Amino acid sequence: MLKKNARSPKPAVTPERAAMLLAANAELRVRLEEAEETLRAIRSGDVDALVVEGPAGSQVFTLQGVDAQSNQFRGEILAQISDAVVAVDMEERITYLNAAAERQYGVVASEVLGRYLRELWTSQWPLEADEVAARNALRETGYWRGENIHRKRDGERIHVESAVICLHDTAGAEIGFLATIRDITQRKDTEERLRRAAEEAEAASQAKDDFLAALSHELRTPLTPVLMTAAAMELDPELPDATREQLSMIRRNIQLEARLIDDLLDLTHITRRTLQIHRVVVDVHELLGHSEEIVRSEAIDQGRVVEFRLEAREYHVMADPTRLQQVFWNLIKNALKFSEEGGRVTVRTLNPSPNRFAVRVADNGIGIAREALDRIFSAFDQGDLKGRHRFGGLGLGLAISKGIVDLHSGCLRVESEGPGRGATFTVDLETTVPADNHESPSQNLPAQTRPIRLLIVEDHEPTLSTMKRLLERSGYRVCTAAAMSEALAVASANKCDVLISDLGLPDGSGLDLMREIHQRFGWPGIALTGYGMEDDIRRVTECGFGAHLVKPIDIAQLRAAIERLLAQSETPEELSRFAKNGGERTSRARSGNLGEKEAKQQRRENEH
Amino acid sequence: MKTARRAQSKERYLLRLYVAGTTPRSNRAIVNIRRICEEHLKGRYELEVVDVVKNPGLAAGEQIIAAPTLVKKLPLPLRRFIGDLSETERILLGLDLRRREGTS
């Protein structure tokens, strides 16, 4: 090799000329070396193309090796692919990028090859842990797929979904990574818009539910004193029959309105999945027996026939009797409503298969069009009858019934062969083994005649005085208070058996009052609320209230709750105390029948 | 003059790499020369990549007869390197970025 700084002047020429010749010589040697190297490179296949000067200008001849075809094919695939493809070496220098990657990151391959990947984009991760997880996955499995954000050189941020694999040489050593990167910004934006829309819809729906709950509370509160007074006057034998009939009409209509409000509230609970059911062993035949009594006379009044065929051999289920009764009544009421004059409604029970119990309510009424069957259980929908206003109600009954049956892990189905050909609704439930001598809560509603002392706390004066009057008429001794402080004072001076309190008192919460009373005197309590909200119910239970009633309060329900609480808290001493009272207390079994009947009458009217 | 240039470490380099399309060899040549430049000439080089398939005329002007070929246009003298430029030591020597053995 020639040394560039060699100095060996010869005496025949001037030093300047000698230097010039030497330099020229050195340059020629370098050129020769380059020429030889070029030749060597061409021979050993180290070049891709030759440039040849011809009469038509320069022409490029590409040289292709044995792998050329498959290489070209692979190259074309990578160039054609719409996802960006980028390869890097172990130091994260870019060694390859396809046309899509050039477009996606706004670069030309020749500008960025050999540069660090971070000069093409910087990754942004939602969580630092995500990046760690990605790196771990690549190290451990040689593969990672996931989403993150790429911030491009121009500052633009794009959402990407990447699949990264580790690259190996033929000896198996890691030589870098290959990433396929899809720009999913548009999809993410759409998802985000949908998410936001869903959130807004959710918020609106929540607001609607809250509004319904508040509305029903506000609508129900004024009904309480009116309902109680009308109910009491209706039973007053001193009033003329005509007046009592009118009072009965007033009471029925108030109860009808309360029922509509209850339906709205039930529906809110069902859509929020907060409806509470309390399952016990229920004899469904007995339950249907009560329905039969109620509907038969009504059906006759309307010129329809109702037939009960209780044919199931197994007819006990685990259910909330009140709610199940509500379902049956809704179905029967519907069947009657959508039947023509002279129509027939059949209520049949059967065991479609072992351990299954079904109630079928069939009518020969107006039927349901095939296309309406799917949405028959949607709220506010009365099939294709919209706008005809022929049928009363809000169209909530079936939606509520379906929700209740679903909560019982059962199935509510509808079949109809079409308009004018009737409809059949089937409630399908799992059977259970009947408990011995089981008494379901719905049957456990006896009236009391013995002087039980009650403390009623309520700040709404008309409600308070009406309750006091009606409960006294039922034989209770009643103390009253309009506020928490007053209640505590009364409680200290008068021993009572049960506390009945509104939750919202002017100087505190009924919950606090209950806690206090329960601690100091050990009395059980009944909470009265206008909301009927699950939160209230939960808090009520936590605070030691034994029962919870939603306004408007009906007196039979209240009496039943009092009786139930006393039965639960009865101790041998208390029983003997009552025994000493000279048998003033009627036997629970006998009075139970009377109270039950009254309570059922009340419920049944509610259901109307 | 050459000695003076070597002492001048802030001299700017103008390099032109002739490639033929986007073959794996072309890619390797770009990656290799850019790595060398970033390590030894950071901030004082300009690398231009010319595709002879797209611009055959440009190659002719430089008397290029094969691709990939790297041409050191500045500092003078002009130097050419052929192939994928993976022999780093040879390139460093040719770019005058390494002292040759036996010189001081």
Side-chain angles (χ1 to χ4, degrees):
Chain A
M1 294 291 274
L2 180 100
K3 294 181 172 67
K4 282 183 180 173
N5 56 350
R7 292 284 189 277
S8 51
K10 284 173 182 166
V13 290
T14 61
E16 291 77 14
R17 182 159 169 74
M20 219 174 67
L21 284 171
L22 274 170
N25 187 28
E27 188 60 29
L28 279 172
R29 276 169 183 266
V30 172
R31 291 286 178 86
L32 186 61
E33 239 175 89
E34 282 178 0
E36 279 176 355
E37 201 182 295
T38 304
L39 202 56
R40 211 168 39 238
I42 293 167
R43 275 208 184 113
S44 56
D46 285 343
V47 298
D48 291 325
L50 293 176
V51 184
V52 176
E53 294 296 322
S58 13
Q59 279 180 289
V60 175
F61 288 88
T62 52
L63 305 177
Q64 299 184 329
V66 282
D67 292 337
Q69 253 184 336
S70 63
N71 277 342
Q72 191 188 349
F73 183 60
R74 255 176 275 170
E76 276 165 7
I77 291 173
L78 288 169
Q80 281 299 312
I81 207 163
S82 60
D83 290 345
V85 179
V86 178
V88 295
D89 63 16
M90 293 306 287
E91 291 166 301
E92 296 205 348
R93 281 200 193 86
I94 301 162
T95 55
Y96 175 81
L97 73 166
N98 69 349
E102 289 181 305
R103 285 194 298 275
Q104 186 158 307
Y105 296 100
V107 294
V108 178
S110 59
E111 276 175 23
V112 293
L113 284 168
R115 293 191 190 279
Y116 288 107
L117 190 61
R118 58 174 181 268
E119 296 177 60
L120 197 54
W121 75 71
T122 47
S123 290
Q124 294 178 337
W125 300 83
L127 296 169
E128 207 177 312
D130 294 346
E131 182 173 11
V132 174
R135 289 195 181 279
N136 286 347
L138 262 183
R139 198 176 53 237
E140 284 157 21
T141 66
Y143 178 77
W144 174 76
R145 176 189 282 276
E147 295 178 6
N148 62 6
I149 291 169
H150 283 178
R151 190 175 183 278
K152 303 203 281 194
R153 292 205 301 187
D154 63 3
E156 190 194 340
R157 289 149 46 93
I158 54 171
H159 285 273
V160 295
E161 181 186 61
S162 310
V164 184
I165 55 162
C166 191
L167 296 172
H168 298 90
D169 64 12
T170 45
E174 290 185 1
I175 55 167
F177 301 98
L178 178 73
T180 309
I181 305 150
R182 176 168 297 180
D183 184 343
I184 55 166
T185 309
Q186 223 171 1
R187 193 182 86 197
K188 280 277 170 191
D189 287 351
T190 310
E191 280 173 7
E192 177 62 20
R193 268 203 307 279
L194 287 175
R195 197 186 57 75
R196 233 177 289 149
E199 261 178 21
E200 280 165 20
E202 180 69 21
S205 167
Q206 179 70 37
K208 183 202 76 183
D209 289 349
D210 291 347
F211 173 73
L212 279 179
L215 177 72
S216 59
H217 166 58
E218 294 301 327
L219 290 175
R220 288 181 68 148
T221 302
L223 298 183
T224 305
V226 183
L227 180 61
M228 290 168 86
T229 308
M233 289 172 76
E234 187 188 345
L235 299 173
D236 188 342
E238 287 171 19
L239 289 173
D241 284 353
T243 308
R244 284 165 61 184
E245 253 171 53
Q246 283 165 340
L247 283 164
S248 169
M249 182 270 292
I250 291 171
R251 178 188 51 74
R252 277 199 313 274
N253 280 288
I254 295 169
Q255 283 174 333
L256 184 66
E257 181 156 0
R259 187 68 236 167
L260 288 174
I261 296 168
D262 283 350
D263 275 356
L264 278 174
L265 206 54
D266 282 350
L267 185 76
T268 310
H269 281 300
I270 284 167
T271 51
R272 283 174 167 183
R273 300 173 193 283
T274 53
L275 189 76
Q276 305 239 331
I277 58 165
H278 304 284
R279 295 170 77 170
V280 294
V281 178
V282 174
D283 177 342
V284 185
H285 280 181
E286 193 188 339
L287 212 57
L288 285 169
H290 301 318
S291 302
E292 184 175 5
E293 293 167 23
I294 307 161
V295 298
R296 183 147 284 152
S297 60
E298 176 159 319
I300 290 166
D301 290 349
Q302 295 176 0
R304 277 100 161 138
V305 179
V306 182
E307 184 191 10
F308 278 76
R309 288 163 55 194
L310 307 184
E311 294 166 356
R313 286 169 174 274
E314 294 176 80
Y315 44 82
H316 286 83
V317 299
M318 285 300 290
D320 186 322
T322 314
R323 290 297 182 182
L324 204 55
Q325 180 79 293
Q326 187 181 350
V327 172
F328 296 147
W329 180 242
N330 270 332
L331 295 180
I332 297 169
K333 188 175 62 175
N334 261 354
L336 289 171
K337 185 154 84 177
F338 294 111
S339 292
E340 305 289 342
E341 181 88 27
R344 167 181 286 267
V345 173
T346 310
V347 181
R348 184 176 160 226
T349 68
L350 62 157
N351 297 114
S353 59
N355 302 322
R356 298 304 296 185
F357 170 83
V359 178
R360 280 195 187 146
V361 180
D363 66 66
N364 58 357
I366 63 163
I368 304 157
R370 181 174 296 277
E371 58 273 18
L373 281 175
D374 291 339
R375 52 193 168 87
I376 197 87
F377 295 114
S378 308
F380 307 107
D381 202 325
Q382 291 185 335
D384 55 354
L385 307 165
K386 275 191 210 115
R388 286 167 60 179
H389 298 295
R390 176 178 157 195
F391 304 93
L394 297 174
L396 301 182
L398 286 176
I400 292 167
S401 299
K402 177 95 168 65
I404 292 170
V405 174
D406 285 349
L407 276 173
H408 284 85
S409 310
C411 176
L412 175 57
R413 288 190 307 273
V414 60
E415 293 148 82
S416 174
E417 296 197 346
R421 307 185 64 176
T424 303
F425 287 83
T426 307
V427 179
D428 194 319
L429 297 163
E430 193 182 7
T431 58
T432 189
V433 183
D436 289 337
N437 299 324
H438 178 79
E439 229 184 346
S440 79
S442 70
Q443 300 164 293
N444 195 4
L445 307 166
Q448 275 299 332
T449 52
R450 64 176 170 77
I452 288 168
R453 287 150 303 182
L454 309 173
L455 170 55
I456 305 178
V457 191
E458 163 71 65
D459 63 328
H460 190 240
E461 207 284 322
T463 300
L464 181 64
S465 56
T466 312
M467 279 196 333
K468 179 176 194 296
R469 189 157 39 84
L470 294 177
L471 287 168
E472 279 175 346
R473 192 179 289 177
S474 300
Y476 296 101
R477 285 196 194 145
V478 179
C479 302
T480 62
M484 189 168 164
S485 50
E486 191 189 345
L488 285 169
V490 173
S492 305
N494 303 276
K495 185 174 178 353
C496 293
D497 298 297
V498 178
L499 168 71
I500 298 167
S501 178
D502 187 31
L503 282 190
L505 298 173
D507 59 344
S509 157
L511 295 173
D512 296 334
L513 175 64
M514 183 63 222
R515 217 176 274 124
E516 181 91 24
I517 296 264
H518 195 70
Q519 270 171 14
R520 282 168 60 179
F521 309 107
W523 308 342
I526 295 169
L528 309 178
T529 78
Y531 292 96
M533 306 295 285
E534 65 282 356
D535 267 5
D536 285 344
I537 295 169
R538 185 176 47 75
R539 284 188 317 206
V540 160
T541 318
E542 281 167 6
C543 284
F545 276 96
H548 170 262
L549 295 176
V550 179
K551 294 175 183 176
I553 308 303
D554 79 53
I555 211 72
Q557 269 181 7
L558 188 54
R559 285 201 308 243
I562 294 166
E563 180 67 17
R564 200 159 53 232
L565 277 185
L566 287 173
Q568 282 164 7
S569 66
E570 257 170 20
T571 61
E573 293 98 299
E574 280 171 324
L575 282 174
S576 63
R577 178 164 59 85
F578 285 126
K580 279 181 211 146
N581 278 345
E584 252 186 274
R585 190 184 195 203
T586 52
S587 97
R588 271 170 53 82
R590 282 219 322 275
S591 70
N593 286 339
L594 184 65
E596 185 190 340
K597 200 153 195 171
E598 276 181 27
K600 271 176 189 148
Q601 179 66 33
Q602 190 88 41
R603 277 205 308 285
R604 147 190 334 159
E605 280 159 353
N606 277 348
E607 280 152 357
H608 282 259
Chain B
M1 187 181 151
K2 284 176 183 172
T3 319
R5 194 190 66 226
R6 189 170 297 140
Q8 174 61 276
S9 67
K10 292 299 170 196
E11 213 161 12
R12 290 194 64 82
Y13 274 67
L14 176 57
L15 304 171
R16 189 173 284 174
L17 176 64
Y18 292 88
V19 294
T22 55
T23 63
R25 205 190 321 274
S26 301
N27 278 0
R28 278 203 304 278
I30 301 173
V31 170
N32 287 331
I33 189 59
R34 185 160 277 127
R35 190 183 66 235
I36 290 169
C37 289
E38 284 291 303
E39 279 172 14
H40 298 274
L41 294 169
K42 194 160 177 65
R44 57 186 180 105
Y45 77 94
E46 200 174 305
L47 173 66
E48 196 183 345
V49 180
V50 175
D51 187 342
V52 295
V53 178
K54 287 181 190 158
N55 302 294
L58 282 176
E62 298 266 16
Q63 297 183 318
I64 297 299
I65 60 168
T69 293
L70 176 71
V71 179
K72 179 183 69 128
K73 294 176 72 80
L74 281 175
L76 289 170
L78 214 71
R79 284 286 174 269
R80 290 160 206 274
F81 308 87
I82 193 157
D84 68 2
L85 312 176
S86 56
E87 296 163 80
T88 307
E89 279 308 311
R90 187 173 68 88
I91 309 297
L92 286 173
L93 278 173
L95 290 177
D96 227 5
L97 294 168
R98 274 275 193 280
R99 292 184 176 189
R100 289 170 194 243
E101 282 173 34
T103 61
S104 54

